[in-house]
Amino acid sequence: MVCIGVVDTTFARVDMGAAAVDELRSLMPHALVKRLTVPGIKNTVWGALRLIREGCDAVMVLGWVGPTQVDKYSYLATSIGLMQLQISTGVLVIDVTVHEEEGGGDERRLKEIALDRTRKHAWNLVQLLTEGLERYAGKGLRQGYPHAGEIL
Amino acid sequence: MVCIGVVDTTFARVDMGAAAVDELRSLMPHALVKRLTVPGIKNTVWGALRLIREGCDAVMVLGWVGPTQVDKYSYLATSIGLMQLQISTGVLVIDVTVHEEEGGGDERRLKEIALDRTRKHAWNLVQLLTEGLERYAGKGLRQGYPHAGEIL
Amino acid sequence: MVCIGVVDTTFARVDMGAAAVDELRSLMPHALVKRLTVPGIKNTVWGALRLIREGCDAVMVLGWVGPTQVDKYSYLATSIGLMQLQISTGVLVIDVTVHEEEGGGDERRLKEIALDRTRKHAWNLVQLLTEGLERYAGKGLRQGYPHAGEIL
Amino acid sequence: MVCIGVVDTTFARVDMGAAAVDELRSLMPHALVKRLTVPGIKNTVWGALRLIREGCDAVMVLGWVGPTQVDKYSYLATSIGLMQLQISTGVLVIDVTVHEEEGGGDERRLKEIALDRTRKHAWNLVQLLTEGLERYAGKGLRQGYPHAGEIL
Amino acid sequence: MVCIGVVDTTFARVDMGAAAVDELRSLMPHALVKRLTVPGIKNTVWGALRLIREGCDAVMVLGWVGPTQVDKYSYLATSIGLMQLQISTGVLVIDVTVHEEEGGGDERRLKEIALDRTRKHAWNLVQLLTEGLERYAGKGLRQGYPHAGEIL
């Protein structure tokens, strides 16, 4: 049975983890979905590693990043860590990251972005494990925003 | 017996290490808590590694970062190092970092932030080793500041 | 038979992957060209790793990067990841990256840059696998722009 | 016999290496102190690695960094490299870095900073190898500047 | 026989590779000098790795970096990659990097900087493999510019 891991945080202000679990179960009813919640984005590398060691074939990492420069350095360090993790394990890790300033001060908008991005990346992950994404190459797909589309 | 490591610095202006040890002992009376003090944040990777080699199952790293751009690069390098350390050892490392500008010039406030963040992350670490944090997912928890809360 | 991998994204707004496959097949008719499409630039490290594990001798990574500072950190993290991948596997990975602001707001121009850069780097990859690039050393070659030329 | 390595540079404008060797010999008369000089900060990772392979139990790295943004990126890359080196070898590497702008244009002041920082970090290294630094935790110790002190 | 590798690029606007090969042959007539040209700075990590696998005992990497922020991130990623390469192989890699803005708009000046820096770092590499650089420690040596000198 395919196992898909979901790592989310208590720092996030939207329950992206629940949305990811729902979407993954809906798209892959026979997969085992395992969820692990950590405090913040910098802890997601350890969280993903633990789920990989428990047998997950792919992991979604759901991060929430504050608006300051220090927050962005934490994002950068985490992104580098998630790349290293994939290189050392070979397991796909798709990160879904929401940056607090994306809402432009509108919390409802921010929540919509977070949920849309989570669901679309759940679909991306499932596509990568099944039919692939080749037919969507260069189509300007976006998560959290409307698709930008292909330049014709 | 579970062993929890605490790495702190002589650079810090608050004894975060003592606060972490107290909190961990209070939350996990049967755990062995080991403390190692290093000069500054860039030395915490080595400190955490040494405690891991001595058998610690999880490590808290307590960092204090100055306000300049060079200080922030040191923070970034350390954050990247702590991720690599977790990938290569599999051991959880929770870093608690205080940035000197967070106090807004008020030393008392800075000390409060440092102690609150330390205690809350000690709790996070213990939760991760015991019952998990899943029930707090997406709740907008903060350390050093009031919780931001979930967007409803 | 030589195997060349092509990793592209659904985030890109131009089908750089198809252009790369065409150019590689034209330049190396006997090579096996394998293509894998991933969501965005941060997933290309995993994509390239998978093609390397499937036996590719070299990989082209076709990335498309947004204009914000966060996008640039994603570019930086990916670039670091692709270096690590090459160090740990020994396989050549040439990345072709388009930054959305390069078009100066002109989508047609942006598409031209993307296709020119893709084709020229396909040629670079083939040269590296065959005759080498030594005769072009220091010649100020550019991809996506006119050659800058050697300073005489 | 304990072996302590010292890596310094020809780029530095102060003979920090000699100061480090003197201080280490004074503090640990029975230690073997080995010195290796490299061109600049980016070469110190290789220098420290060589001394570790020759048997050093700890290494001081003495770096001098120019004032430009590119210089700071070199500092960042070196800092990341020194962390990785410690993770892969387990050997303590204390870096002592002087940034040219610290002198505020006063060369004499810059030299004082460099020598004070070098001597204090030599003491830090010896403490870490002997009695530890726990009694100085959270005391706001500084190198190159007066101690900031603990917030009471 | 000692083997020294030289990695240069087609992106560079000055034939730094030829200058490095000449200087190395002049300084170490009995060494085998191997040259490999790659497209740009981000490919130098792979180039250096290949020369190391072919038996080179030390490698010079000759990079040319554009003036934009994205170019500087490419420089940073490459610098981090070259550190990792040295840690994983133990082989000395000296990078000689020219930043296009260093010429201040004067191409002739830029060429002089590139050639002076290349030759001086070739000498540095040879010194490191033979007599060492200890006698020049803290002397404020510069490459591409006049020596800054020691602060007395």
Side-chain angles (χ1 to χ4, degrees):
Chain A
M1 186 164 53
V2 171
C3 169
I4 303 178
V6 172
V7 179
D8 67 346
T9 71
T10 66
F11 186 89
R13 300 189 59 204
V14 172
D15 193 350
M16 297 159 74
V21 171
D22 284 354
E23 194 74 12
L24 290 167
R25 287 202 174 126
S26 160
L27 293 167
M28 275 195 128
H30 301 294
L32 173 64
V33 180
K34 285 188 159 190
R35 178 181 182 174
L36 178 61
T37 304
V38 296
I41 189 172
K42 285 193 289 177
N43 311 113
T44 59
V45 171
W46 174 82
L49 175 60
R50 208 177 93 173
L51 292 177
I52 290 168
R53 290 194 174 185
E54 290 179 8
C56 285
D57 303 287
V59 178
M60 284 188 77
V61 165
L62 308 163
W64 188 279
V65 179
T68 71
Q69 182 61 44
V70 166
D71 294 323
K72 300 317 176 197
Y73 287 144
S74 299
Y75 166 71
L76 175 55
T78 301
S79 298
I80 293 170
L82 292 173
M83 306 250 165
Q84 293 179 315
L85 184 61
Q86 292 176 86
I87 293 171
S88 68
T89 65
V91 172
L92 171 67
V93 179
I94 291 192
D95 78 286
V96 182
T97 310
V98 176
H99 293 267
E100 207 154 306
E101 69 277 14
E102 286 187 283
D106 179 346
E107 293 198 344
R108 189 174 306 210
R109 175 83 192 98
L110 192 55
K111 185 173 178 176
E112 285 170 7
I113 291 172
L115 294 177
D116 180 71
R117 190 168 291 159
T118 299
R119 290 191 194 110
K120 283 183 178 166
H121 273 309
W123 179 83
N124 276 330
L125 185 144
V126 171
Q127 285 295 114
L128 279 171
L129 295 183
T130 54
E131 299 161 59
L133 286 164
E134 282 67 29
R135 90 181 73 168
Y136 305 97
K139 296 298 187 197
L141 302 193
R142 295 290 180 271
Q143 296 81 34
Y145 297 102
H147 294 318
E150 188 171 1
I151 300 176
L152 299 175
Chain B
M1 187 165 53
V2 171
C3 169
I4 302 177
V6 172
V7 179
D8 67 346
T9 70
T10 66
F11 186 89
R13 300 189 60 203
V14 172
D15 193 350
M16 298 159 73
V21 170
D22 284 354
E23 195 73 13
L24 289 167
R25 287 203 174 125
S26 160
L27 293 166
M28 274 197 128
H30 300 294
L32 173 65
V33 180
K34 284 187 159 190
R35 178 181 182 175
L36 177 61
T37 304
V38 297
I41 191 173
K42 286 193 288 179
N43 311 113
T44 59
V45 172
W46 174 81
L49 174 60
R50 209 178 92 173
L51 291 177
I52 290 169
R53 290 193 175 185
E54 291 179 7
C56 286
D57 302 288
V59 178
M60 285 188 77
V61 165
L62 309 162
W64 187 280
V65 179
T68 70
Q69 182 60 44
V70 166
D71 294 324
K72 301 317 177 196
Y73 287 144
S74 298
Y75 166 71
L76 176 55
T78 301
S79 298
I80 293 170
L82 292 174
M83 307 253 166
Q84 293 180 314
L85 184 61
Q86 292 176 86
I87 293 171
S88 67
T89 65
V91 172
L92 172 66
V93 179
I94 291 192
D95 77 286
V96 182
T97 310
V98 175
H99 293 267
E100 207 153 306
E101 68 277 14
E102 286 188 284
D106 178 346
E107 293 198 344
R108 190 175 304 211
R109 174 85 192 97
L110 191 56
K111 185 173 178 176
E112 285 169 6
I113 291 172
L115 293 177
D116 181 71
R117 190 168 291 159
T118 299
R119 290 190 194 111
K120 283 184 178 164
H121 273 309
W123 179 84
N124 276 330
L125 185 144
V126 171
Q127 285 295 115
L128 278 171
L129 296 183
T130 55
E131 299 161 60
L133 286 164
E134 281 67 29
R135 91 182 71 167
Y136 305 98
K139 295 298 187 197
L141 302 194
R142 295 291 179 271
Q143 296 80 33
Y145 298 101
H147 295 318
E150 188 171 0
I151 300 176
L152 299 175
Chain C
M1 185 165 53
V2 171
C3 169
I4 302 177
V6 172
V7 179
D8 66 347
T9 71
T10 67
F11 186 88
R13 300 190 60 204
V14 172
D15 193 351
M16 297 159 75
V21 170
D22 284 354
E23 194 74 11
L24 289 167
R25 286 201 173 126
S26 160
L27 293 167
M28 275 197 128
H30 301 294
L32 173 64
V33 179
K34 284 188 159 190
R35 179 181 181 174
L36 178 61
T37 304
V38 297
I41 189 171
K42 286 192 289 178
N43 311 113
T44 59
V45 171
W46 174 81
L49 175 60
R50 206 177 95 174
L51 292 177
I52 290 168
R53 289 194 174 185
E54 291 178 7
C56 286
D57 302 287
V59 178
M60 284 188 77
V61 165
L62 308 163
W64 188 278
V65 180
T68 71
Q69 182 60 45
V70 166
D71 294 323
K72 300 317 177 196
Y73 287 144
S74 299
Y75 166 72
L76 176 54
T78 301
S79 298
I80 293 170
L82 292 174
M83 306 250 166
Q84 293 179 315
L85 184 62
Q86 292 177 85
I87 293 171
S88 68
T89 65
V91 172
L92 172 66
V93 178
I94 291 191
D95 78 286
V96 182
T97 310
V98 175
H99 293 267
E100 207 153 307
E101 68 276 15
E102 286 188 284
D106 179 346
E107 293 198 344
R108 189 174 304 208
R109 175 82 192 99
L110 192 56
K111 185 172 179 176
E112 284 170 7
I113 291 173
L115 294 177
D116 181 71
R117 191 168 289 160
T118 300
R119 290 191 194 111
K120 283 182 178 166
H121 272 309
W123 179 83
N124 276 330
L125 185 144
V126 171
Q127 286 295 115
L128 278 171
L129 295 183
T130 54
E131 299 161 59
L133 286 164
E134 282 68 30
R135 91 182 73 169
Y136 305 98
K139 295 299 187 197
L141 302 194
R142 295 292 180 270
Q143 296 81 34
Y145 297 102
H147 294 317
E150 189 171 359
I151 299 176
L152 299 174
Chain D
M1 187 165 51
V2 171
C3 169
I4 302 177
V6 172
V7 179
D8 67 347
T9 70
T10 66
F11 186 89
R13 299 189 60 204
V14 171
D15 193 351
M16 297 159 73
V21 170
D22 284 355
E23 195 73 11
L24 290 167
R25 287 204 173 123
S26 160
L27 293 167
M28 276 196 126
H30 301 293
L32 173 64
V33 179
K34 283 187 160 191
R35 178 181 183 176
L36 177 60
T37 304
V38 296
I41 190 173
K42 286 193 289 179
N43 311 114
T44 59
V45 172
W46 174 82
L49 175 60
R50 208 178 94 174
L51 291 177
I52 290 169
R53 291 194 174 185
E54 291 178 8
C56 285
D57 303 286
V59 178
M60 286 188 76
V61 165
L62 308 162
W64 188 279
V65 179
T68 71
Q69 182 60 45
V70 166
D71 294 323
K72 300 317 177 197
Y73 287 143
S74 299
Y75 166 71
L76 176 54
T78 301
S79 298
I80 293 170
L82 292 174
M83 306 251 165
Q84 293 179 315
L85 184 61
Q86 291 176 86
I87 292 171
S88 67
T89 65
V91 172
L92 171 67
V93 179
I94 292 191
D95 78 287
V96 182
T97 310
V98 176
H99 292 267
E100 206 153 306
E101 69 277 13
E102 287 187 283
D106 179 346
E107 293 197 344
R108 190 175 302 210
R109 175 84 192 98
L110 191 57
K111 185 173 178 175
E112 284 170 7
I113 291 172
L115 294 177
D116 181 70
R117 190 167 292 159
T118 299
R119 288 190 195 110
K120 283 182 179 166
H121 272 309
W123 178 84
N124 276 330
L125 185 145
V126 170
Q127 285 295 115
L128 279 170
L129 296 183
T130 55
E131 299 161 59
L133 286 164
E134 282 66 29
R135 92 182 71 168
Y136 305 97
K139 295 299 187 198
L141 302 195
R142 296 292 179 271
Q143 297 80 33
Y145 298 102
H147 294 317
E150 188 171 359
I151 299 176
L152 299 175
Chain E
M1 186 165 52
V2 171
C3 169
I4 302 176
V6 172
V7 179
D8 67 346
T9 70
T10 66
F11 186 89
R13 300 189 59 203
V14 172
D15 193 350
M16 296 159 75
V21 170
D22 284 355
E23 195 73 13
L24 289 167
R25 286 201 174 126
S26 160
L27 293 167
M28 275 197 128
H30 301 293
L32 173 64
V33 180
K34 284 188 159 190
R35 178 180 182 176
L36 178 61
T37 303
V38 296
I41 190 172
K42 286 193 289 179
N43 311 113
T44 59
V45 171
W46 174 82
L49 175 60
R50 206 177 96 174
L51 292 178
I52 290 169
R53 290 193 173 185
E54 291 178 7
C56 285
D57 302 287
V59 177
M60 284 188 76
V61 165
L62 308 163
W64 187 279
V65 179
T68 72
Q69 182 60 46
V70 166
D71 294 324
K72 300 317 177 196
Y73 287 143
S74 299
Y75 166 71
L76 176 54
T78 301
S79 297
I80 293 170
L82 292 174
M83 306 250 165
Q84 293 179 315
L85 184 62
Q86 292 176 85
I87 293 171
S88 67
T89 65
V91 172
L92 171 66
V93 178
I94 291 191
D95 78 285
V96 182
T97 310
V98 175
H99 292 267
E100 207 153 307
E101 68 276 15
E102 286 188 283
D106 178 346
E107 293 197 343
R108 189 175 304 208
R109 175 82 192 99
L110 192 55
K111 185 172 179 177
E112 285 171 7
I113 290 172
L115 294 176
D116 181 71
R117 190 168 290 160
T118 299
R119 289 191 194 109
K120 283 182 178 165
H121 272 309
W123 179 83
N124 276 330
L125 185 145
V126 170
Q127 285 294 116
L128 279 170
L129 296 183
T130 55
E131 299 161 60
L133 286 164
E134 282 68 28
R135 90 182 72 167
Y136 305 98
K139 295 299 187 195
L141 302 195
R142 296 292 179 271
Q143 297 81 33
Y145 297 102
H147 294 318
E150 189 171 359
I151 299 176
L152 299 174

